[in-house]
């Protein structure tokens, strides 16, 4: 942080930090401001003298935070911040370029509130930039997402209605540990009481959420992103088992966590997991792995791989003979 800032500028910076990071301790505030702990406390005092209610609590979860309902000055963006915000929104939801879109309407209100010099650039960017939708993205219902996030924050068990890709619908009682966004998709990481196991659910496939009165505690040291990666390939309807002759170290960079767990096996390795979409697993995941493999487990996956193989074989067929072409020795192709 610049060292030539005035006390007022540092106090405003302290206010911004407390807005973004409620529960910031005096040590943390001092580090972010680039001052001593005593000076950081002085800036908190300046905010209080200005009528801004900064509360402090002791203990391991203590620190400074603004009182709920505190009315603060309007948010001010620099030009770079405003353009970065518009770019991030369009990248995450290309339909936000449309003023009739829910997120697009909200973005329009933000741009409208910006100062003329900044807002003009942001508006131009939104109007003239084109964004292609991510084929794999699946934006969830904001109301469903909000209900799940509220239950995560309150640590309240929920009853969800879930519909899988094939249209099968069921109810599950779960402890919602976290809502995680990953590569354009939103997931609920939770403990399912029906399965008595960790589960990951696509938020866009949750049809309803009902919060219960039962409370739960998060597992110690939970890393939501790491836990999601670990369990994405577990607990689905169709089991999978794929054997590779190549060493695990060579195959691992090509294996996405939702594909399952990669384990050493002799001179090669084996991929064990499950899926609810064998066709996608075969043609979008396995087809991209540049190593020979065989499907040892999962009839559904075996059938899906056979379909992909037949399609590619047909692509090499000689139109005259209808026989596959030997790509290495085309002169030996039967006619």
């Amino acid at each position: 942080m610049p060292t030539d800032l005035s006390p007022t500028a540092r106090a405003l910076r302290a206010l911004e930090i407390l807005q973004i990071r409620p529960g910031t301790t005096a040590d943390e505030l001092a580090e972010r401001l680039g001052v001593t702990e005593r000076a950081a406390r002085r800036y908190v005092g300046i905010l209080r003298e200005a009528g801004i209610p900064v509360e402090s609590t002791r203990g391991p979860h203590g620190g400074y935070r603004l009182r709920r309902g505190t009315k603060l000055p309007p948010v001010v963006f620099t030009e770079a911040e405003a353009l970065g915000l518009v770019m991030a929104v369009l990248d995450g939801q290309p339909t936000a370029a449309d003023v009739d879109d829910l997120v697009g309407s909200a973005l329009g209100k933000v741009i409208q509130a910006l100062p003329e010099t900044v807002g003009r650039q942001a508006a131009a960017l939104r109007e003239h930039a084109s964004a292609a939708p991510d084929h794999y993205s699946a934006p969830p219902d904001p109301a469903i997402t909000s209900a799940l996030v509220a239950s995560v924050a309150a640590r309240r068990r929920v009853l969800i209605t879930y519909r899988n890709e094939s249209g099968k619908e069921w109810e599950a009682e779960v402890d919602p540990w976290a809502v995680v966004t990953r590569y354009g998709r939103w997931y609920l990481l939770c403990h399912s009481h029906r399965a008595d196991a960790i589960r990951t659910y696509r938020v866009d496939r949750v049809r309803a959420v009902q919060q219960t009165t039962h409370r739960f505690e998060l597992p110690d040291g939970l890393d939501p992103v790491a836990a999601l990666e670990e369990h994405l390939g577990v607990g689905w309807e169709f089991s999978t088992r794929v054997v590779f002759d190549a060493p695990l170290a060579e195959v691992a960079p090509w294996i996405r966590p939702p594909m399952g767990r990669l384990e050493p096996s002799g001179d090669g390795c084996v991929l064990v997991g499950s899926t609810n979409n064998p066709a996608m697993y075969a043609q979008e995941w396995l087809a991209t792995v540049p190593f020979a493999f065989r499907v040892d487990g999962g009839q559904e996956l075996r059938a899906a791989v056979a379909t992909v193989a037949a399609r590619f074989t047909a692509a090499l067929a000689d139109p005259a003979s209808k026989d596959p072409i030997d790509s290495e020795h085309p002169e030996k192709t039967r006619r």
Side-chain angles (χ1 to χ4, degrees):
M1 188 171 184
T3 58
D4 57 347
L5 293 181
S6 67
T8 301
R10 288 190 186 276
L12 291 175
R13 174 58 180 152
L15 174 61
E16 182 181 350
I17 292 171
L18 297 183
Q19 286 180 265
I20 299 172
R21 299 176 178 273
T24 298
T25 65
D27 286 342
E28 293 169 340
L29 186 60
E31 181 179 354
R32 293 182 178 281
L33 291 175
V35 299
T36 64
E37 181 180 337
R38 181 178 178 182
R41 295 182 187 278
R42 186 165 65 247
Y43 295 129
V44 171
I46 292 175
L47 293 177
R48 287 170 172 165
E49 289 176 3
I52 297 174
V54 180
E55 299 177 338
S56 60
T57 55
R58 297 181 180 277
H61 301 292
Y64 294 116
R65 67 184 67 245
L66 302 178
R67 184 183 304 162
R68 286 188 179 277
T70 300
K71 293 184 178 180
L72 299 173
V75 178
V76 178
F77 295 104
T78 65
E79 181 176 313
E81 289 173 336
L83 295 179
L85 178 62
V86 174
M87 291 169 65
V89 172
L90 292 177
D91 182 57
Q93 185 159 336
T95 55
D98 184 353
V99 294
D100 293 326
D101 178 78
L102 182 64
V103 176
S105 175
L107 181 61
K109 292 178 181 179
V110 172
I111 293 176
Q112 189 67 31
L114 294 173
E116 172 64 21
T117 53
V118 177
R120 184 172 59 251
Q121 292 288 82
L125 174 63
R126 180 195 185 189
E127 180 179 356
H128 298 291
S130 298
D134 184 345
H135 176 68
Y136 300 106
S137 67
D141 184 328
I144 293 291
T145 308
S146 177
L148 289 173
V149 170
S151 298
V152 170
R155 296 190 180 180
R156 297 277 186 177
R157 189 178 303 172
V158 295
L159 185 66
I160 65 171
T161 302
Y162 193 79
R163 181 184 299 166
N164 66 13
E165 190 173 18
S166 63
K168 181 181 178 182
E169 192 169 290
W170 69 88
E171 288 189 340
E173 190 175 20
V174 304
D175 294 340
W177 289 353
V179 172
V180 182
T181 178
R182 181 183 183 278
Y183 301 134
R185 284 181 175 168
W186 293 71
Y187 295 91
L188 172 66
L189 175 69
C190 62
H191 176 268
S192 168
H193 289 272
R194 184 180 71 169
D196 191 23
I198 298 174
R199 287 290 184 264
T200 56
Y201 294 112
R202 289 259 300 269
V203 177
D204 60 293
R205 292 180 181 164
V206 176
R207 317 312 298 174
V209 179
Q210 179 182 345
Q211 189 178 108
T212 72
T213 58
H214 298 285
R215 297 186 63 85
F216 67 88
E217 293 296 327
L218 289 175
D220 291 336
L222 175 68
D223 182 336
V225 175
L228 178 77
E229 293 281 347
E230 181 181 351
H231 291 89
L232 271 177
V234 176
W236 299 109
E237 184 176 0
F238 306 112
S239 62
T240 60
R241 180 181 173 85
V242 182
V243 178
F244 296 91
D245 292 331
L248 184 147
E250 296 181 14
V251 177
W254 297 89
I255 302 301
R256 299 170 58 183
M259 296 172 70
R261 184 178 64 258
L262 193 62
E263 302 173 344
S265 177
D267 294 332
C269 56
V270 59
L271 177 64
V272 181
S274 62
T275 180
N276 69 338
N277 191 338
M280 181 272 293
Y281 195 108
Q283 65 189 14
E284 296 183 13
W285 289 355
L286 281 182
T288 64
V289 180
F291 299 99
F293 64 84
R294 67 180 184 276
V295 181
D296 269 6
Q299 294 181 352
E300 296 79 9
L301 181 60
R302 288 176 62 86
V305 170
T307 299
V308 174
R311 183 159 58 87
F312 276 83
T313 300
L316 295 178
D318 183 347
S321 67
K322 304 299 184 183
D323 287 329
I325 294 176
D326 185 333
S327 59
E328 295 184 2
H329 305 284
E331 71 280 359
K332 296 183 179 180
T333 299
R334 289 184 294 119
R335 295 188 178 278

